[in-house]
Amino acid sequence: MAVKRMIDAIREALDEELARDESVIVMGEDVGVKGGVFVATKGLIDRYGPERVIDTPLAESGIVGVAIGAAMNGLRPVAEIQFADFIYPAMDQIISEAARIRYRSNGEWQCPLVVRAPYGAGVRGGLYHSQSVESFFAHVPGLKVVIPSNPADAKGLLKAAIRDDDPVVFLEPKRGYRAIQGEVPEGDYVVPIGPARIAREGEHLTAIAYGMMLHLTMQAAERLEREGVSVEVVDLRTLAPLDRATIVESVKKTGRALVVYEDNRTLGMGAEVAAILAEEALFHLDAPVRRVAMPDVPATPYAAVLEDAVLPNVDTIAQAMRELARV
Amino acid sequence: MAPRSPAATADPDLALLEPEKLVEAYRLMVLARALDERMWILQRQGKVPFVITGQGQEAAQVGAALALRAGHDIVLPYYRDIALVLALGMSPRELMLSAFARAADPNSGGRQMPNHFSSRRLRILTGSSPVGTQIPHAAGAALASRLRGEDSVVLVSFGEGASSEGDFHEGVNFAAIHRLPVVFFCENNGWAISVPSRRQMNVEGVARRAAGYGIAGVAVDGQDLLAVYRAVAEAAERGRGGEGPTIVEALTYRFVPHSSDDDDRIYRSADEMAEMRRRDPIPAFRERLEAAGLWDEAKEERLRQEVAATVDDAADHAERSPQPDPATVMQHVFASSGRDGHPWRSSA
Ligand SMILES: Cc1ncc(C[n+]2csc(CCOP(=O)(O)OP(=O)(O)O)c2C)c(N)n1
């Protein structure tokens, strides 16, 4: 297997799906001639033409709205929002429209749409190029929310998202586009939307993470291993619908749970995971569920020292693991 | 060319449609009005929870529908379009099933409020309540049809209030850039709930905005069925010919309050209402048919009886139809939803 960067795995997925299925189109700001600001779509317009790789006007609601109409009428659009931070004008289209089309038409219409967006902090992007938006969407039944943590998953999950008959919000940890490399299987494969992945087996506690935080959590787990604490790490991969079974089973085994997410602490994914564990694994818990998350600031500040002060890192995650193991 | 009726020279527009089509257009307007009036009565009787209808806008709606190929062209209607969907082929029973929120409501199975139209059979794309959201969908639907090489046209309707939304601009702009065959059909009835159109825009009408997108824009008398028919037919033709989208603005009236929750006496005068009623498109069209020798008192009497029976049947049928089964509330959340709406196994 070849080692690839996350961004290249994503481009491969788009390329292969465009080649495989004529109903797949790619659209968004700068996705054509330039190939996207992160070059995720580079070269696709040359191969598939401007009818299927569409440079749109700078209009997020319009991008998603047009994609929804195309999806209802038989296409499988992959709409790119340049940064997740700019997805808010399209929220109404995603929530009021895409998520509800199947339900509101009693199953007559469907909306097989993928909305891709680079998201997350750690790139010195300041308030408006760093946000975690996943919880807004994970709250909405009818939407699937997927966040890959490595190139192989990114490719396989994106292919699954494109083939899915439901709308998928596909969030790509932009800090990992180039930073995260990994082996990517040759040939066509999909990673199913839904199941979480045990990224690392362990005995003493379970750490639950996704996206970029998965890597920091893995590094922290290795550190704890050297200190004699064995940490199991669960990579959620799909935030909605959430794989409750895998989380609950792992925590039943270890008796302790830490949730790591770079989103604001309040009402983020950690809150949901903690609630599930309270409902379904309380009598297996040897310690209260813990969370490591960003404090409730309106978004990541720009100055390096400020950003570092709010984001979870290997030290803060490892420290939380230590404390949890000691309880 | 359609066969000319005797008085066609005095009223040349009558030649736009064959005599049977003219009579059918009149029947559809009368039927839509009668269904609409009955819905208000049913609401006041406490039999249906809510109504929102389109009295006054029938000519605009039927005129537009007759310019389309039902089941071939794609339509994204808005909540006033009872006459439009009726003209496309939705039945009075189906409309009443929607008013009563019954299981057999073809639009949503009772999940949505009335007049949130949807029909795969008629290529009516499911709609929602936030106004204007369907406008970019129309551009996307047209994009998809063109990519497949179909010659279908897309018609999307909305009020002038909705044209203030960003989605109107984003949808029209996209369709204009890509020269998509979309008819943006604005039914301008002068009011967005209580706000008059002069507080909605600083230009005289929505059609004027077309220039800003580099597309055709036409304003027509929305009380004149044939004027609307002609404008929409020309816009559809333009679309099919690769000349891009058109904004067609039908200047019309709303005879009823915004919805069953609205009291329109608060914001418009009795005089204004009476003045509007004088421009009722239904008697106006009947006079044209009579002048052309296509209609008379006896035909009118028969039609009124037939329509009354149809409306009774539709309301009775819907009232007697089963309610949706509460056991189905979690269905259709996802393509593969099980009973709990979850697409795959959960631990709970
Ligand atoms: C986005 C949004 N804002 C507000 C409303 C509430 N609302 C429903 S209809 C309406 C007025 C719409 O007026 P117009 O578009 O002119 O259509 P008309 O009802 O006059 O036919 C409003 C404000 C809504 N449905 N959607």
Side-chain angles (χ1 to χ4, degrees):
Chain A
M1 281 193 286
V3 172
K4 289 175 182 159
R5 303 182 304 176
M6 181 107 110
I7 189 74
D8 300 319
I10 288 165
R11 188 180 324 101
E12 271 183 25
L14 292 170
D15 193 353
E16 290 175 20
E17 291 304 293
L18 281 160
R20 184 188 62 83
D21 180 353
E22 282 195 345
S23 65
V24 175
I25 62 167
V26 167
M27 55 192 291
E29 295 152 16
D30 304 296
V31 301
V33 176
K34 179 173 165 66
V37 291
F38 293 100
V39 301
T41 55
K42 197 169 182 59
L44 299 180
I45 194 169
D46 304 325
R47 236 155 299 153
Y48 305 101
E51 298 268 277
R52 293 183 66 205
V53 180
I54 304 169
D55 271 324
T56 66
L58 214 171
E60 284 73 15
S61 187
I63 291 167
V64 176
V66 168
I68 288 170
M72 277 199 275
N73 191 14
L75 296 189
R76 291 186 174 266
V78 184
E80 178 177 296
I81 299 294
Q82 203 156 65
F83 291 88
D85 310 69
F86 310 125
I87 206 168
Y88 303 118
M91 293 285 272
D92 187 39
Q93 284 291 346
I94 298 172
I95 295 172
S96 299
E97 306 302 317
R100 297 183 185 161
I101 280 166
R102 183 181 298 284
Y103 192 76
R104 79 187 189 204
S105 67
N106 210 13
E108 269 223 335
W109 294 100
Q110 64 177 13
C111 184
L113 160 73
V114 181
V115 179
R116 288 182 47 241
Y119 91 105
V123 293
R124 309 304 183 213
L127 269 71
Y128 301 103
H129 295 83
S130 301
Q131 292 166 58
S132 292
V133 298
E134 62 271 25
S135 299
F136 297 124
F137 299 108
H139 184 65
V140 181
L143 290 181
K144 294 178 177 173
V145 181
V146 173
I147 299 185
S149 69
N150 61 72
D153 275 6
K155 184 171 175 185
L157 284 165
L158 183 53
K159 282 169 159 269
I162 292 168
R163 299 176 195 187
D164 201 288
D165 286 335
D166 291 311
V168 180
V169 175
F170 195 88
L171 297 172
E172 300 163 5
K174 70 171 99 61
R175 183 177 164 193
Y177 271 154
R178 288 176 181 73
I180 302 175
Q181 308 204 354
E183 292 193 334
V184 175
E186 304 298 329
D188 187 37
Y189 70 98
V190 294
V191 174
I193 291 175
R197 174 177 72 102
I198 304 290
R200 184 183 199 285
E201 300 215 9
E203 298 292 321
H204 302 130
L205 68 94
T206 299
I208 298 142
Y210 53 91
M212 197 62 210
M213 290 298 113
L214 195 269
H215 290 268
L216 307 186
T217 303
M218 291 292 276
Q219 288 169 36
E222 275 149 35
R223 224 183 258 183
L224 269 281
E225 184 78 51
R226 296 195 287 274
E227 299 171 20
V229 180
S230 154
V231 180
E232 178 145 308
V233 179
V234 178
D235 180 359
L236 290 180
R237 299 202 287 200
T238 297
L239 272 50
L242 192 61
D243 181 355
R244 302 156 70 105
T246 297
I247 300 165
V248 169
E249 273 156 35
S250 173
V251 173
K252 281 184 178 171
K253 182 176 88 176
T254 64
R256 287 164 214 266
L258 170 73
V259 198
V260 184
Y261 52 115
E262 70 173 62
D263 194 1
N264 298 122
R265 184 178 180 84
T266 300
L267 291 172
M269 281 311 293
E272 181 60 28
V273 171
I276 289 169
L277 294 173
E279 283 177 340
E280 298 180 34
L282 185 66
F283 300 113
H284 298 269
L285 286 175
D286 299 324
V289 176
R290 264 191 89 117
R291 292 184 275 167
V292 174
M294 189 161 74
D296 291 333
V297 292
T300 330
Y302 177 59
V305 288
L306 297 179
E307 182 173 44
D308 291 345
V310 295
L311 277 187
N313 57 48
V314 179
D315 290 337
T316 55
I317 298 167
Q319 186 54 27
M321 287 174 173
R322 255 175 234 123
E323 287 167 17
L324 186 60
R326 231 181 275 135
V327 181
Chain B
M1 198 67 205
R4 292 194 142 219
S5 46
T9 32
D11 188 351
D13 277 1
L14 286 181
L16 284 167
L17 287 170
E18 292 121 40
E20 314 83 71
K21 278 268 170 71
L22 292 170
V23 168
E24 173 61 5
Y26 179 66
R27 187 188 75 84
L28 286 164
M29 286 201 288
V30 171
L31 177 59
R33 176 70 59 86
L35 280 163
D36 196 310
E37 286 171 345
R38 180 65 62 86
M39 286 177 188
W40 287 87
I41 293 168
L42 291 165
Q43 198 275 336
R44 298 304 191 230
Q45 290 173 336
K47 290 188 174 180
V48 308
F50 177 78
V51 300
I52 184 159
T53 67
Q55 287 178 45
Q57 303 183 200
E58 292 91 346
Q61 295 177 11
V62 174
L66 291 182
L68 302 173
R69 297 162 296 176
H72 182 79
D73 293 327
I74 294 169
V75 184
L76 297 95
Y78 87 126
Y79 45 82
R80 300 215 183 280
D81 283 329
I82 288 177
L84 186 137
V85 298
L86 204 59
L88 289 174
M90 199 170 280
S91 74
R93 281 187 171 196
E94 288 176 321
L95 281 164
M96 279 295 178
L97 286 164
S98 162
F100 280 88
R102 292 305 201 246
D105 155 34
N107 301 292
S108 76
R111 287 177 173 196
Q112 295 220 68
M113 290 174 116
N115 297 14
H116 288 60
F117 301 111
S118 169
S119 168
R120 260 201 111 76
R121 175 176 62 95
L122 300 172
R123 293 196 104 180
I124 295 173
L125 300 194
T126 166
S128 64
S129 298
V131 302
T133 49
Q134 76 277 26
I135 298 170
H137 299 177
L143 190 77
S145 288
R146 186 165 71 186
L147 204 59
R148 275 199 301 272
E150 279 175 22
D151 72 342
S152 50
V153 166
V154 178
L155 179 133
V156 56
S157 66
F158 49 89
E160 80 289 354
S163 80
S164 297
E165 289 279 355
D167 272 356
F168 168 80
H169 168 71
E170 297 187 25
V172 176
N173 191 42
F174 189 97
I177 289 165
H178 292 273
R179 301 181 82 78
L180 294 168
V182 183
V183 183
F184 295 99
F185 186 59
C186 179
E187 296 176 38
N188 183 349
N189 60 26
W191 296 91
I193 309 187
S194 68
V195 180
S197 42
R198 67 174 182 282
R199 295 222 172 274
Q200 210 66 245
M201 66 200 97
N202 193 35
V203 286
E204 197 65 46
V206 176
R208 291 251 173 134
R209 292 177 165 168
Y213 302 102
I215 61 172
V218 286
V220 291
D221 178 357
Q223 306 310 85
D224 180 345
L225 186 142
L226 293 169
V228 176
Y229 169 83
R230 184 184 11 229
V232 173
E234 283 170 3
E237 207 40 53
R238 216 173 281 134
R240 270 192 287 272
E243 290 171 67
T246 304
I247 296 176
V248 176
E249 179 180 19
L251 298 162
T252 182
Y253 296 126
R254 147 162 81 75
F255 289 169
V256 284
H258 170 72
S259 74
S260 50
D261 292 337
D262 176 41
D263 180 358
D264 57 348
R265 289 168 304 185
I266 294 167
Y267 54 84
R268 46 185 192 183
S269 67
D271 285 353
E272 181 187 330
M273 285 302 291
E275 173 58 33
M276 282 182 181
R277 289 267 178 194
R278 276 194 280 281
R279 304 237 30 225
D280 190 331
I282 297 178
F285 197 65
R286 177 182 164 182
E287 280 168 28
R288 287 172 85 173
L289 292 185
E290 283 175 350
L294 292 168
W295 201 248
D296 58 33
E297 196 55 50
K299 286 179 175 157
E300 179 72 14
E301 186 54 32
R302 270 203 304 282
L303 177 65
R304 296 279 164 181
Q305 280 171 12
E306 176 208 310
V307 162
T310 303
V311 174
D312 285 345
D313 166 76
D316 292 347
H317 172 79
E319 195 172 359
R320 282 185 277 101
S321 288
Q323 302 274 2
D325 179 356
T328 62
V329 279
M330 297 306 295
Q331 283 176 7
H332 305 306
V333 177
F334 292 105
S336 53
S337 333
R339 264 193 53 87
D340 63 353
H342 206 280
W344 63 290
R345 195 181 67 84
S346 70
S347 65

